[in-house]
Amino acid sequence: MLAYTAPSTVEEAVRVLAGASGVAKVLSGGTDLLVQLRSGRVSPDLIVDTKKIPGISGVQERDGGFVIGAAAPGAVIGECEALRQAWPGVVEAANLIGSTQIQGRASLAGNLCNASPAADSVPALIAARATCVVAGPNGRREVPVESIVTGPGRTSLGRDELIVEFRLPKRPPRSADAYLRFIPRTEMDIAVVGAGVSVTLDPAGVCTDARLVLGAVAPTAVLVPEAAAALVGRKLDETALAGLDQAARRACKPIDDKRGTIEYRTKVAGVLARRTATIAYERAKERG
Ligand SMILES: Cc1cc2nc3c(=O)[nH]c(=O)nc-3n(C[C@H](O)[C@H](O)[C@H](O)COP(=O)(O)OP(=O)(O)OC[C@H]3O[C@@H](n4cnc5c(N)ncnc54)[C@H](O)[C@@H]3O)c2cc1C
């Protein structure tokens, strides 16, 4: 029989997970987990609902950066004006997930730990150099977001671990991010390709730091270091954009499916990388 518990502290959640005899699943918003339960894709023995843990559903400014609770829903993330100003790409990615109803529940931890290659918030978080705090029986550790997903539906988390929060660093001046995805319909669909870009400029508009991360083109989100090489040291001219486009295409190892062929996804990755970088660059310039 399926058991349910809603601990009121992180330590209690870890204890319950560690002591579970069968398969235990952490529940944040449930917009993936409940669908999978209903369809029989997962059949856990225990559900550990995190939402009663204080702070886990909120957003806070800390040391010039931000702490986003693991279970903070998209709606709460989108309502935080300071976060929207500092990390518009992360917020737009989180707010692309599902519909208004889904936004009332869907969290960053669930999006990450469901480990879909097409998860929208993940490329934006990695581009932002976000970290997450993982709690387990040996305490807490802070790790880069990119270290969590190891393949479709798989994570590096132990069975007795859960994500507690995400941390976004303080923004340097003249720095901004953006996220775009391409979907076959205008909304409520899964990304054919997603692209997250974060850039920092010097006072002359020359790029001093850049991160491009692609989603839905490989088993996990792909950080593209060659894209940074194409942008850093240049303004966003056609040479830089062409280098970025090529780097994005080369990083793709997509599948063929009903949403797009390998060739199509690869081409879209280059186009989206250009468009997303242009938005991030213009936003960063406005902050000069
Ligand atoms: C109609 C609909 C539309 C959708 N549209 C999109 C979309 O456009 N883009 C997109 O990316 N996704 C989409 N999704 C998928 C889903 O909404 C997102 O992945 C969402 O972010 C999941 O968050 P959640 O809090 O609901 O996760 P849950 O369902 O609670 O959990 C998902 C997985 O993560 C694990 N988990 C949850 N919290 C933690 C934690 N703190 N620590 C460790 N593991 C944890 C769970 O055990 C489970 O395996 C859609 C889903 C639906 C039903």
Side-chain angles (χ1 to χ4, degrees), residues 25-33 35 70 96-98 102 105-107 109-111 113-114 118-120 157 162-163 181 188-189:
K25 281 277 185 190
V26 178
L27 176 83
S28 288
T31 61
D32 278 316
L33 189 57
V35 175
L96 272 174
I97 297 172
I102 296 292
R105 287 289 185 193
S107 68
N111 200 224
C113 296
N114 188 54
D120 279 307
L157 297 176
L162 77 158
I163 294 180
R181 70 174 182 185
M188 291 285 284
D189 210 329

Side-chain angles (χ1 to χ4, degrees), residues 98-121:
S99 57
T100 304
Q101 291 90 335
I102 296 292
Q103 281 290 303
R105 287 289 185 193
S107 68
L108 296 184
N111 200 224
L112 179 64
C113 296
N114 188 54
S116 159
D120 279 307
S121 68

Side-chain angles (χ1 to χ4, degrees), residues 14 29-30 61 69 74 90 104 106 108 127 151 158 166 172-173 179 195 199 211 219 268 271-272 275 286:
V14 170
E61 277 189 77
V90 169
L108 296 184
F166 291 83
Y179 176 79
V199 294
R211 304 253 287 179
V268 172
V271 173
L272 270 197
R275 290 184 187 170
E286 280 165 19

Side-chain angles (χ1 to χ4, degrees), residues 69-174:
V76 168
I77 292 170
E79 279 165 8
C80 181
E81 180 56 31
L83 179 63
R84 277 214 312 268
Q85 286 299 320
W87 293 100
V90 169
V91 175
E92 66 201 354
N95 286 169
L96 272 174
I97 297 172
S99 57
T100 304
Q101 291 90 335
I102 296 292
Q103 281 290 303
R105 287 289 185 193
S107 68
L108 296 184
N111 200 224
L112 179 64
C113 296
N114 188 54
S116 159
D120 279 307
S121 68
V122 178
L125 286 169
I126 298 174
R129 290 196 176 85
T131 58
C132 52
V133 175
V134 176
N138 301 321
R140 297 183 185 207
R141 57 195 171 96
E142 184 177 354
V143 296
V145 167
E146 55 267 41
S147 71
I148 298 295
V149 179
T150 53
R154 292 201 319 266
T155 72
S156 59
L157 297 176
R159 60 188 300 278
D160 45 11
E161 290 186 316
L162 77 158
I163 294 180
V164 178
E165 65 192 27
F166 291 83
R167 295 181 180 172
L168 287 165
K170 185 175 178 197
R171 266 272 182 227
R174 293 177 301 280

